[in-house]
Amino acid sequence: MSHTRTPLREPPRRAARPVAARTQIKARAPARPRITAPRFRIGPRLRWVLRLCLLGSAAGVALAALGPFALDAILSLVGVMTFPALVATAGAAWWVRRRGWRGLLWPWNRWLGGILLALGTLGILALFSPNGLVLSHVAFAEASLGGLLGKVIIGAPDALGTLRAAGLLLVGACLAAPRQARWVARQGGRLARRVGRSAWWLAREVYRRRILQRTALLLVLGPVWLARAVLSRFSVEEGSQRQPGAADDQLPPTAVAAADPSSGSAPDGARLDPAASRNGAAPGSHPDRGRPVPHESAPAPTTTPGPWESPSMDILERPPVEEAPTDVQERARALEEALASYGVQGKVVATSVGPAVTQFGVEPGWNIRYREVRERDEFGRIKVDRNGTPRVHQEEISRTRVKVERITGLANDLALALAAPSVRIEAPVPGKRVVGIEVPNPTPSVVSLRAVLESSGFQRLRTRTKLAIALGQGVSGETVAADLTKMPHLLIAGATGSGKSVCLNSIVASLLMYTTPNEVRMLMIDPKRVEMVPYNDIPHLLAPVIVDAEKVVGTLYFVIKEMETRYKAFAAAGVRNIDGYNKSPKVSEPLPYWVVIIDELADLMMVAPYEVEKSLCRLAQLARATGIHLVVATQRPSVDVVTGLIKANFPTRIAFAVTSQVDSRTILDVTGAEKLLGRGDMLYLPTDAAKPRRIQGTYVSDQEVERLVAFWSQERWQHLRPPQFTEAIEEMEQHVGDGSKAAGPDPLLEKARALYEEQGKISASMLQRKLRIGYVRAARLVEQLKDEGVVDDFDEE
């Protein structure tokens, strides 16, 4: 039986949907916009306030429902703080109900601070009585606004009670807001330091300027001066009301004869004043000063004791009136911005406006380092903003001062930022806690000699010494004067046209204004023949101005001989210096001071370097006690001119504008003179200062010098002129050195002869180079060889 397999029957398949039917998307109806009313959101803080107000109101209503007795009891206990106390109690109860009792321990400082603030407020309110106020109530009318609890806190309404309440408020504020309290304490400390510094500065200025002493003196002597002025005015009015005949009756017969123009005994143009005759003045004299009235073109001199008279201040020109720069604040702001642009924090705390420069006192700022700290709430959770970013704030971690070297290294950069030719930085300013940045003024002012001579500082110095000299004005406009006897010698250096010769003229004019030939004698050496020659006619000169460089060595030897003579006189009188000698009763005639002025040292060092250096060093070392002082100037401050010996014996130096830092170091041992502006701008280094001081020198015009020389060259001084030493100086020049004929042949004559035989020619300059001697000695060696017939005239170079 055969079996056949029948195939399985497949289930019927569902007809496939067409592609168009499958891809067809049922269109939905557009959604209608939902219109919702705007919702008002209440913030968490406002929600807290509303909750506290509702709780306090509910507590007040419940308390009022108990009866007036309970309300009066609370009012008498806490006074006007009843409602705040109810609100605080309700809020604390709600907090405990929500957080539990442990919730009070987490922000314990704020809870405790709030309690102390409430107690302090009750204490302050307890100081006031409710009588007459609208808030008065029967319950606490007999107590206070703070209630019985406030009275218990303060004890008694006095100062001690006030301090207790204030202490509670202060401690409560510190506990409730510690971060804000630290900020307030820091700001208060800074304010206290500033107030303390200001008070200290004010007290120091009062002490330095002697304001209290001057005020007391004015209060004491002011009425006396006023009464004297009133009495003098009454006496003048009374004298003017007298008859002319009455005044003539009181005159001496000689004065009456001189006053009568018909007598013919009076000189031409002389007129006698009755007031002057009563004071004992000579005919034709001024009524106030008792001396002859000068011509209109010549200024009137002031009388000094003795036959000599000092010139009047009218010889010098009055200082011009110049306006101070008005852009100081803008320049200070530009300086701060320039420092900040280079990453240096600084603040201009002082400004000193001088004649040529303005010094800005910059207080170095702080280099502050910060770090970012995330803010946390009272539960220690990190605060985030709306975007979920943690909130951070900057916290200071270190604070250091800006180093002074960072400011001094920006001199050229600051000059570029301020559009100034040069900027000099003085770090630090002596006596101040600032760095001085000196910026040139747009229009420099002229410092006249009269302005310095009339200043109180120069007048005080003139009462202590006879050799007071005017130098100029400092960067703050203060007068700078010096005592030549304290220097005791002055070395001046500067490039051509920097104001060196004007400074010498100012020194000479300062001495001529207040000293007579009996007090000060001068010896001037001017190889340039143009600077000191106008002073040839003044009676102060020991000899005419030396213009020949070959005579300088003999002149210096003459000064050395005078120094030795004075030392012998001091030993015989038993004194140590010129001041003791002039005050000694054994002395009949006092010795005058000698001032030796050399205008150009470089020219002398080229002619006779050895002799000039030796003479200057010996005078600088020994001549101070004898009253001989040196003022030496040069326009080439190189090491071959200003040698180490000369610089060591001239401690007081003045440097004008030079060309390089090497020249500045040569004259001052520090840099800075290369940044000066010229035209009298100088650095003054006294003996008692560690750093040089910047000064704008005084200016003396040629007309002022001519008038001053004309005053001392008048005919009336001819019979008073002291003798000059021209012949003595020439004689010393003839016998100077070892090569003079009176001293025999020079020891170097054989070496000079050997040089001539070796070279075949000879000259003074060659002997200077080969034998290392001065020009004078070399010239004498050549003359001796000529006298011996060894050298002919044509053998010289």
Side-chain angles (χ1 to χ4, degrees), residues 93-230:
W94 179 82
W95 183 269
V96 170
R97 180 179 177 280
R98 184 176 179 181
R99 300 283 183 174
W101 291 98
R102 294 183 180 181
L104 296 175
L105 301 179
W106 172 247
W108 62 271
N109 56 331
R110 297 187 177 180
W111 289 108
L112 184 57
I115 294 172
L116 294 179
L117 284 174
L119 295 178
T121 306
L122 288 175
I124 294 296
L125 292 174
L127 297 174
F128 304 97
S129 176
N131 296 331
L133 298 177
V134 180
L135 298 176
S136 300
H137 194 272
V138 179
F140 59 96
E142 299 179 357
S144 61
L145 293 179
L148 297 177
L149 185 58
K151 295 188 67 175
V152 170
I153 292 173
I154 64 173
D158 53 2
L160 184 59
T162 306
L163 290 177
R164 290 177 182 173
L168 290 174
L169 289 175
L170 181 60
V171 175
C174 294
L175 289 175
R179 183 178 301 174
Q180 289 78 2
R182 284 196 300 269
W183 182 83
V184 172
R186 189 182 299 113
Q187 297 298 325
R190 292 179 181 177
L191 180 61
R193 285 195 298 271
R194 291 182 180 178
V195 172
R197 291 175 184 174
S198 302
W200 170 252
W201 177 84
L202 181 60
R204 185 179 61 182
E205 290 298 322
V206 169
Y207 175 76
R208 285 176 54 189
R209 302 179 183 275
R210 300 180 180 179
I211 297 178
L212 297 179
Q213 294 88 331
R214 293 180 180 180
T215 304
L217 184 64
L218 182 62
L219 293 177
V220 173
L221 299 181
V224 179
W225 293 340
L226 181 60
R228 184 181 299 175
V230 173

Side-chain angles (χ1 to χ4, degrees), residues 736-782:
V736 69
D738 296 331
S740 61
K741 296 181 180 180
D746 195 294
L748 298 178
L749 184 60
E750 295 299 330
K751 293 184 178 181
R753 186 181 292 109
L755 283 174
Y756 173 70
E757 294 175 355
E758 179 182 353
Q759 301 290 337
K761 56 183 179 180
I762 196 171
S763 64
S765 59
M766 185 182 72
L767 291 179
Q768 283 184 271
R769 295 192 303 270
K770 298 293 184 179
L771 301 180
R772 301 181 63 84
I773 59 177
Y775 176 82
V776 177
R777 191 174 183 181
R780 292 191 181 280
L781 286 174
V782 175

Side-chain angles (χ1 to χ4, degrees), residues 315-352:
I315 286 181
L316 304 177
E317 298 177 359
R318 294 186 178 274
V321 179
E322 298 181 359
E323 297 181 358
T326 57
D327 58 342
V328 177
Q329 299 298 331
E330 289 78 3
R331 299 169 74 188
R333 191 180 305 107
L335 179 60
E336 292 180 354
E337 294 176 355
L339 289 173
S341 64
Y342 293 105
V344 177
Q345 300 297 326
K347 182 180 181 182
V348 177
V349 298
T351 305
S352 301

Side-chain angles (χ1 to χ4, degrees), residues 467-505:
L467 298 184
I469 57 176
L471 295 180
Q473 292 182 359
V475 295
S476 301
E478 74 279 6
T479 301
V480 180
D483 183 7
L484 190 57
T485 60
K486 303 295 183 182
M487 288 185 176
H489 311 289
L490 179 60
L491 180 62
I492 305 173
T496 304
S498 59
K500 179 177 70 281
S501 299
V502 177
C503 180
L504 290 177
N505 288 330

